[in-house]
Amino acid sequence: MKTATAGILSIFSLVMLVIVSGCSGKEDSISSATWDSSEELSSAVEAVKVEEGRLYGTVITAGRIRGINEALVVSEARGIVQSFDVVPGQKVKKGDKIAGLDDTISRLTAEQAKASWENARLDLDAISSLHEKGNASRTDLLRARSAESGARAAWEQAVKDLKDRTISSPLDGVVAWTDPDSSAGNYLTAGTAVAQVVDTSAYSIYADLGERQTNLVGPGAAVRIYPGNLPGEGLPGTVSAVASGIRDDSGGYQAVITFSVPEDLTLKSGMAARVEIETNLEPSRLLVPASALMNSGSASYLYVAEKGRAVRRTVSPGESMGDFVVIFRGLEPGSLVIISGTRRISDGSPVDVTVVERGAKVVDGDR
């Protein structure tokens, strides 16, 4: 029994020896590999080229379209309307008749005043001649001059009253609206607005700006106007003035925007429009995407790509708006700032950089 057991163990030992010998003739798969444990894998990241720009870029507001000049046509006299000579949408010239009031009494008054003035002039001529010959006193001469002056003033007033019986357009333009209660046969009181005339040779918008926006926008700023009835790329315009004081009724600072339109486009006074104004007073500053900025305690830092490596830069950030932050110190224009994969890298990490374009910036300024 012991002899059989010893034989089995001898056979097992022989088999193991053969297996070990076979394995020792092969290369070690780990020790013979070409991978070098000293090499580092590059992280794929995206970066943007940092440039100076405007943080706000564009201020967005709204307003109502107006003609470059608009005038209420007001009756300066009272009386019965004899005729109303225009309709909304009609083109008129300065001085064209809008409406006429009954002028019977005014015409008679003017004729009588003219006759009185002519008589006063004749009396003055006669007294002047007598005074030169010594046959009239200086008091008589002064009295005649005063009478002539008073008669002339009365005639001029009568002529004005007669003229006021005809209500005329104060400017070239288009009739925007007319008062339906000022039609023929109705009685008008002095000061009644009977129509509005709009000069459409150009247009304007009075838009309100907030306090911060007034520091960004000044005269000469380029504007794009988007009327509600004209979808498309918008109309070009210019800021012609910015108020230096606040409006009590709106709480805003008024900006006056002027623009023209092609003849084939139709705008009407009172239409609403969205307005985008370029911030011509805003200084250009170094901007980086907010996603690139990180904090460590009270310090702020970001990574820039240099020669295939991520380099940590401590920076001094400033004002932020939307997706961008102003950088005051610690970064140079033209640097490639890493904006993705920043949690996988550290100072000196190798990086495989894809440069992406920085998106266009349009910001809605707050009030």
Side-chain angles (χ1 to χ4, degrees):
M1 185 67 175
K2 291 181 178 180
T3 302
T5 301
I8 293 171
L9 291 174
S10 297
I11 295 171
F12 177 77
S13 298
L14 180 60
V15 171
M16 292 301 295
L17 181 60
V18 171
I19 293 174
V20 171
S21 298
C23 291
S24 63
K26 297 180 180 180
E27 293 184 356
D28 189 294
S29 60
I30 295 177
S31 62
S32 64
T34 57
W35 178 75
D36 184 355
S37 61
S38 65
E39 290 188 3
E40 298 176 276
L41 294 176
S42 295
S43 297
V45 297
E46 292 180 327
V48 295
K49 186 176 181 181
V50 179
E51 298 174 349
E52 290 188 347
R54 291 171 176 165
L55 183 63
Y56 294 89
T58 303
V59 166
I60 299 176
T61 184
R64 296 282 177 181
I65 294 173
R66 299 167 49 92
I68 194 66
N69 291 304
E70 297 190 354
L72 283 177
V73 182
V74 177
S75 174
E76 296 188 38
R78 60 181 180 177
I80 302 295
V81 179
Q82 280 190 328
S83 65
F84 204 92
D85 300 88
V86 297
V87 294
Q90 180 176 332
K91 291 184 178 181
V92 292
K93 294 289 187 181
K94 181 178 181 179
D96 284 354
K97 183 179 177 182
I98 300 294
L101 304 181
D102 178 33
D103 62 357
T104 303
I105 295 177
S106 296
R107 190 173 298 280
L108 292 174
T109 301
E111 291 175 357
Q112 183 178 4
K114 184 178 181 180
S116 298
W117 178 41
E118 289 176 347
N119 289 334
R121 282 194 301 169
L122 292 175
D123 288 344
L124 176 59
D125 291 342
I127 296 298
S128 296
S129 178
L130 292 173
H131 180 264
E132 290 176 358
K133 297 176 181 179
N135 296 324
S137 67
R138 180 170 176 79
T139 300
D140 292 335
L141 179 61
L142 293 176
R143 188 180 296 115
R145 286 177 177 174
S146 176
E148 187 275 338
S149 178
R152 181 177 59 191
W155 175 73
E156 289 175 349
Q157 183 61 51
V159 170
K160 182 184 182 303
D161 291 343
L162 177 61
K163 184 179 179 180
D164 288 344
R165 310 304 288 179
T166 299
I167 304 171
S168 304
S169 174
L171 50 80
D172 295 352
V174 179
V175 178
W177 55 263
T178 59
D179 176 23
D181 293 331
S182 299
S183 57
N186 285 334
Y187 181 84
L188 290 186
T189 58
T192 300
V194 300
Q196 183 183 42
V197 177
V198 177
D199 179 0
T200 58
S201 61
Y203 292 89
S204 63
I205 293 176
Y206 288 74
D208 284 334
L209 302 177
E211 289 186 12
R212 179 179 295 180
Q213 294 171 333
T214 59
N215 294 325
L216 304 175
V217 172
V223 183
R224 300 298 296 185
I225 299 103
Y226 298 88
N229 69 325
L230 297 175
E233 298 181 356
L235 302 169
T238 305
V239 173
S240 58
V242 176
S244 58
I246 198 169
R247 291 182 58 188
D248 292 335
D249 56 345
S250 67
Y253 295 83
Q254 192 176 75
V256 182
I257 299 160
T258 54
F259 63 104
S260 299
V261 301
E263 293 183 357
D264 59 340
L265 294 182
T266 300
L267 292 182
K268 296 183 183 297
S269 176
M271 285 182 171
R274 181 170 62 91
V275 177
E276 295 182 1
I277 309 172
E278 291 187 11
T279 56
N280 63 330
L281 299 185
E282 181 185 6
S284 290
R285 296 173 286 182
L286 201 62
L287 305 179
V288 301
S291 59
L293 200 63
M294 292 171 284
N295 297 305
S296 177
S298 60
S300 297
Y301 68 94
L302 47 71
Y303 290 105
V304 298
E306 292 183 357
K307 299 179 180 180
R309 297 277 176 177
V311 179
R312 176 168 166 163
R313 293 280 180 83
T314 300
V315 295
S316 298
E319 189 178 5
S320 65
M321 173 59 69
D323 299 328
F324 291 91
V325 180
V326 174
I327 299 297
F328 290 115
R329 289 182 297 275
L331 196 63
E332 296 296 327
S335 300
L336 289 178
V337 172
I338 298 173
I339 60 174
S340 69
T342 53
R343 300 299 178 184
R344 305 193 306 269
I345 59 178
S346 59
D347 191 23
S349 296
V351 288
D352 182 11
V353 181
T354 300
V355 180
V356 297
E357 295 292 331
R358 188 176 72 176
K361 191 77 179 109
V362 176
V363 179
D364 204 354
D366 62 0
R367 297 280 177 93

